[in-house]
Amino acid sequence: MLNQFLKPLWSLLFIAVFSFSHFQTSAQADVVFIVQKQEAKRASRWSLDSWIAQRRKMAFQDMWLVWNTKSPYEFILRGMYHFGSQDPTGYAGGWKASVSGFAHVFGIELEKSWFLGTSSLDGYFHLRLFGHYVQGTHLMLSAGVSQQERGGETLWLPLAKAHLNLYLYKTFGISGSYLHGFESNGSVGSLAMNRWEAQAFLDFSFVKFFGGYFSQRESSSLSQSFNGISLGTSFFF
């Protein structure tokens, strides 16, 4: 009689233990799934701080590659014609030619300009902050000096420049630059300037063709502000 009474109890106890064990296992699996899902979300989530950290890491890697490359030298010849409207006289045009050389992340450049019967000679020291080569995506800061011939007198302007070059494809890209010339004073007057450029280019091996828009604003008593189109070619060695 006692066995008949206990038998259903043992069956109920077994079912309860089995159900609890199954529920516990299922709950643990659900928790693991939720945790893994959250970790996957966090790993794939974009954030500004992670992007900045990644760019900083890439910049250090680029710098290391530049310093350890077997061919750290670049030489560039460039010619350009720019034309457009001058304020206040109207149409204006002129030529620019430059030669530059780079070793690792450092470079020097000389640029000669002829415009409206005047000429200038600019010298730059370049520091490439990002990118393996000048003929590639890069960010560069420059400092220099400009020798300006104005009114029969020579003026010297300190220069500061920033330049960004971005390849969208292997043979096509865009670039932008900003140049600031600090004020210089002479007996014929004073001169300061700002110039920005936006260009597109096609790259074929050692030859690059480029064209774009520029705007140059000069201030003080020797003003020759103008804006227009620039077209040119660069040769890389």
Side-chain angles (χ1 to χ4, degrees), residues 16-104:
V17 171
F18 177 79
S19 299
F20 178 77
S21 176
H22 177 74
F23 173 77
Q24 186 179 27
T25 302
S26 178
Q28 290 176 347
D30 291 340
V31 171
V32 170
F33 172 76
I34 292 173
V35 171
Q36 291 177 344
K37 185 177 181 180
Q38 292 301 315
E39 290 178 350
K41 286 182 178 180
R42 183 172 59 182
S44 61
R45 183 184 301 135
W46 186 92
S47 64
L48 181 60
D49 63 330
S50 62
W51 182 83
I52 293 175
Q54 183 68 19
R55 301 310 301 177
R56 187 183 299 114
K57 181 179 178 181
M58 291 177 63
F60 286 137
Q61 290 174 344
D62 286 342
M63 193 73 71
W64 184 90
L65 288 172
V66 168
W67 279 105
N68 290 274
T69 183
K70 294 182 179 179
S71 301
Y73 305 108
E74 276 187 292
F75 300 96
I76 305 152
L77 295 176
R78 186 181 67 158
M80 180 179 70
Y81 182 74
H82 54 162
F83 58 94
S85 59
Q86 184 194 21
D87 183 20
T89 59
Y91 176 83
W95 292 91
K96 281 188 177 184
S98 68
V99 57
S100 56
F102 287 80
H104 296 295

Side-chain angles (χ1 to χ4, degrees), residues 8-233:
L9 292 178
W10 284 113
S11 298
L12 290 173
L13 181 61
F14 175 78
I15 292 172
V17 171
F18 177 79
S19 299
F20 178 77
S21 176
H22 177 74
F23 173 77
Q24 186 179 27
T25 302
S26 178
Q28 290 176 347
D30 291 340
V31 171
V32 170
F33 172 76
I34 292 173
V35 171
Q36 291 177 344
K37 185 177 181 180
Q38 292 301 315
E39 290 178 350
K41 286 182 178 180
R42 183 172 59 182
S44 61
R45 183 184 301 135
W46 186 92
S47 64
L48 181 60
D49 63 330
S50 62
W51 182 83
I52 293 175
Q54 183 68 19
R55 301 310 301 177
R56 187 183 299 114
K57 181 179 178 181
M58 291 177 63
F60 286 137
Q61 290 174 344
D62 286 342
M63 193 73 71
W64 184 90
L65 288 172
V66 168
W67 279 105
N68 290 274
T69 183
K70 294 182 179 179
S71 301
Y73 305 108
E74 276 187 292
F75 300 96
I76 305 152
L77 295 176
R78 186 181 67 158
M80 180 179 70
Y81 182 74
H82 54 162
F83 58 94
S85 59
Q86 184 194 21
D87 183 20
T89 59
Y91 176 83
W95 292 91
K96 281 188 177 184
S98 68
V99 57
S100 56
F102 287 80
H104 296 295
V105 298
F106 304 109
I108 56 174
E109 179 181 4
L110 287 177
E111 181 180 77
K112 181 70 174 179
S113 300
W114 298 268
F115 183 75
L116 290 177
T118 65
S119 65
S120 65
L121 179 63
D122 302 344
Y124 294 97
F125 173 78
H126 300 298
L127 174 62
R128 192 169 65 250
L129 299 179
F130 174 81
H132 298 172
Y133 300 100
V134 175
Q135 195 179 11
T137 296
H138 68 268
L139 172 64
M140 187 158 56
L141 299 181
S142 310
V145 63
S146 177
Q147 180 191 48
Q148 299 275 339
E149 299 292 339
R150 298 293 177 91
E153 185 179 3
T154 300
L155 298 175
W156 297 88
L157 277 73
L159 302 175
K161 185 178 182 180
H163 179 84
L164 176 64
N165 201 63
L166 178 62
Y167 275 74
L168 302 178
Y169 299 96
K170 294 294 184 181
T171 58
F172 173 74
I174 56 177
S175 65
S177 64
Y178 175 76
L179 172 67
H180 180 72
F182 297 90
E183 185 173 3
S184 177
N185 297 296
S187 59
V188 296
S190 60
L191 177 65
M193 69 175 182
N194 294 281
R195 179 187 177 102
W196 66 268
E197 296 183 65
Q199 296 179 341
F201 59 82
L202 292 172
D203 190 322
F204 300 101
S205 185
F206 65 93
V207 181
K208 177 189 288 186
F209 301 98
F210 60 87
Y213 179 82
F214 71 91
S215 177
Q216 180 169 319
R217 292 288 178 264
E218 299 181 356
S219 59
S220 302
S221 56
L222 298 175
S223 176
Q224 292 192 53
S225 301
F226 60 101
N227 57 76
I229 303 298
S230 60
L231 300 171
T233 304

